[in-house]
Amino acid sequence: MLENQVKASFKGLIPFIVFIVIYLGAGMILQSQGVELAFYQLPGPVAAAAGIVVAFILFKGTIEEKFNTFLEGCGHQDIMTMCIIYLLAGAFAVVSKAMGGVDSTVNLGITYIPPHYIAVGLFVIGAFISTATGTSVGAIVALGPIAVGLGEKSGVPMALILAAVMGGAMFGDNLSVISDTTIAATKTQGVEMRDKFRINLFIAAPAAIITIILLFMFGRPDVVPEAMSYDFNIVKVLPYVFVLVMALIGINVFVVLASGVLLSGIIGFAYGDFTLLTFGQQVYNGFTNMTEIFILSMLTGGMAQMVTKQGGIQWVIEKIQTMVVGTKSAKFGIGMLVGLTDIAVANNTVAIIINGEIAKQLSTKYEVDGRESAAFLDIFSCVAQGAIPHGAQMLILLGFAKGAVSPTQLMPLLWYQILLFIFSVVYIMMPQLSKQVLNFLDKPQSKKA
């Protein structure tokens, strides 16, 4: 966030290290004790607060000077923009779900899945739900029990069924315009969601298409289950389509999300799902669902400002520069940093927030387009998050199978995540392809959201 060059100092990085060690250490200790969802028991803001305390103790300057630096980071325009978008995205997700949008979307898909193509259908439905709602965990929770039931009846290997659900869920988590990973990636890099989405889709679409082909080939059931029909209302699916389309044509993200909340509310009123009071309560529930990531973003923003001012970020960049020789390696560096951080902290949004400023400075120095750096932050963090055995997505999904599938059985079948990684590497290794994609994006001049 600081424009002026500062002297590199490992000491300046210590608060971030404390944050990561506490966050990671708590998860590892709890996991060794058999605690369910161990890496999600200690709230991220608490670990961040510990790092901030260390910064105040360790760094030079008066308390007032350090506090002013901290507040400058907390209140930075990019941080505040990100936080408000989180609130609106949370409100949209909760209001839309409360009026029956998620149930209708799932039931619509399950009703029209051809029984012969269960695995493909689950991948596609998972991709749509997670893209529409912005949450891979939500898609897994909605589809997981249904997928297990279909797997048991069809004879398709349960691991393959679950891998299809996981792949679809991570497709949307990575691409959704209301996903917290997309919000964090675009706002830390200062780019528009629409442009990041297009680059991201250019890389993700081939991976998704090949995954679908593989699922067609290897996901045919031994026994074709009976076609199932569930109640759904196509009108209740419309808010998701509305938000996606409006965001992609370049409407201001605040307008898109606020309009989506209102549209879901109107549909809820029309079908008797809401009163004015319950609508207001659901909006607030959406706000509170984002409390942790809201606070974490503010605290890490403040800590990042202090770390940057003390030369911590510059130290990381200088060390990375010893391995970076140009634009290609800078792109790899961004991807590997966020991917390894995600493996450590088991949270793709946290990984993006931690590495956002480093990625931005690397992009500036090595002429990496900000839209690409945002896409790589999101892609590599989601690839890692969708494969690690200690991530919430994997733990919840395998929980539905009740021990029938292990992480080691599931991981080799995560074809979408594997292919997404491969196509990302191919994209990075072909600068001419990158140039053509960026030129295509630059043809219609984007309005800044």
Side-chain angles (χ1 to χ4, degrees), residues 286-355:
F287 290 167
T288 57
N289 280 358
M290 292 294 181
T291 299
E292 181 174 339
I293 192 63
F294 184 104
I295 296 173
L296 180 63
S297 296
M298 280 210 316
L299 293 181
T300 52
M303 179 166 51
Q305 186 76 350
M306 298 178 76
V307 166
T308 303
K309 190 171 183 178
Q310 293 292 324
I313 301 296
Q314 188 61 31
W315 185 89
V316 173
I317 290 172
E318 288 187 6
K319 293 302 177 184
I320 293 174
Q321 284 173 356
T322 62
M323 300 176 282
V324 172
V325 294
T327 303
K328 284 184 188 178
S329 51
K331 292 177 180 179
F332 275 119
I334 291 169
M336 292 302 103
L337 270 176
V338 73
L340 291 173
T341 303
D342 183 81
I343 292 171
V345 302
N347 187 308
N348 44 352
T349 307
V350 173
I352 291 169
I353 292 172
I354 289 172
N355 290 286

Side-chain angles (χ1 to χ4, degrees), residues 13-295:
L13 195 63
I14 291 176
F16 259 151
I17 295 174
V18 170
F19 166 41
I20 294 172
V21 167
I22 291 176
Y23 196 78
L24 173 62
M28 293 177 67
I29 291 170
L30 293 172
Q31 189 171 51
S32 69
Q33 296 173 348
V35 175
E36 189 175 354
L37 293 175
F39 282 81
Y40 299 87
Q41 297 303 312
L42 178 69
V46 175
I52 292 165
V53 170
V54 170
F56 271 89
I57 295 172
L58 199 63
F59 294 164
K60 293 180 180 179
T62 66
I63 290 293
E64 184 177 351
E65 288 171 344
K66 288 183 278 191
F67 196 65
N68 287 339
T69 300
F70 174 70
L71 290 180
E72 183 182 345
C74 289
H76 191 278
Q77 181 178 343
D78 290 343
I79 297 295
M80 285 293 98
T81 300
M82 188 161 58
C83 288
I84 298 303
I85 294 173
Y86 283 143
L87 293 181
L88 289 172
F92 173 72
V94 170
V95 171
S96 299
K97 182 177 181 180
M99 63 83 174
V102 172
D103 290 339
S104 281
T105 302
V106 173
N107 292 346
L108 173 65
I110 293 297
T111 298
Y112 288 103
I113 284 183
H116 291 83
Y117 305 121
I118 292 169
V120 172
L122 289 170
F123 177 86
V124 172
I125 296 171
F128 180 77
I129 293 172
S130 56
T131 303
T133 62
T135 166
S136 54
V137 170
I140 288 169
V141 169
L143 272 181
I146 297 171
V148 169
L150 289 172
E152 290 173 344
K153 292 178 181 178
S154 67
V156 176
M158 184 66 71
L160 183 58
I161 288 286
L162 297 183
V165 174
M166 178 72 88
M170 295 316 298
F171 175 91
D173 192 309
N174 178 210
L175 281 167
S176 174
V177 294
I178 63 170
S179 167
D180 47 7
T181 59
T182 294
I183 295 167
T186 54
K187 293 309 170 187
T188 58
Q189 303 309 295
V191 299
E192 295 181 39
M193 291 184 182
R194 177 179 66 168
D195 290 338
K196 178 265 182 188
F197 177 92
R198 289 177 174 181
I199 290 176
N200 209 152
L201 184 62
F202 184 86
I203 298 170
I209 291 169
I210 294 176
T211 299
I212 288 172
I213 292 171
L214 290 172
L215 290 173
F216 265 122
M217 293 170 59
F218 298 104
R220 289 178 174 272
D222 296 328
V223 178
V224 179
E226 295 181 8
M228 295 179 293
S229 179
Y230 294 90
D231 291 333
F232 64 87
N233 187 329
I234 193 66
V235 173
K236 293 188 175 185
V237 180
L238 293 180
Y240 298 125
V241 178
F242 169 82
V243 165
L244 180 61
V245 172
M246 291 299 102
L248 294 182
I249 64 176
I251 305 299
N252 181 281
V253 64
F254 296 105
V255 174
V256 170
L257 290 173
S259 300
V261 172
L262 289 175
L263 178 58
S264 291
I266 290 169
I267 292 173
F269 290 137
Y271 285 92
D273 300 305
F274 297 137
T275 64
L276 189 59
L277 177 60
T278 55
F279 172 69
Q281 290 171 339
Q282 294 298 341
V283 169
Y284 184 69
N285 287 340
F287 290 167
T288 57
N289 280 358
M290 292 294 181
T291 299
E292 181 174 339
I293 192 63
F294 184 104
I295 296 173

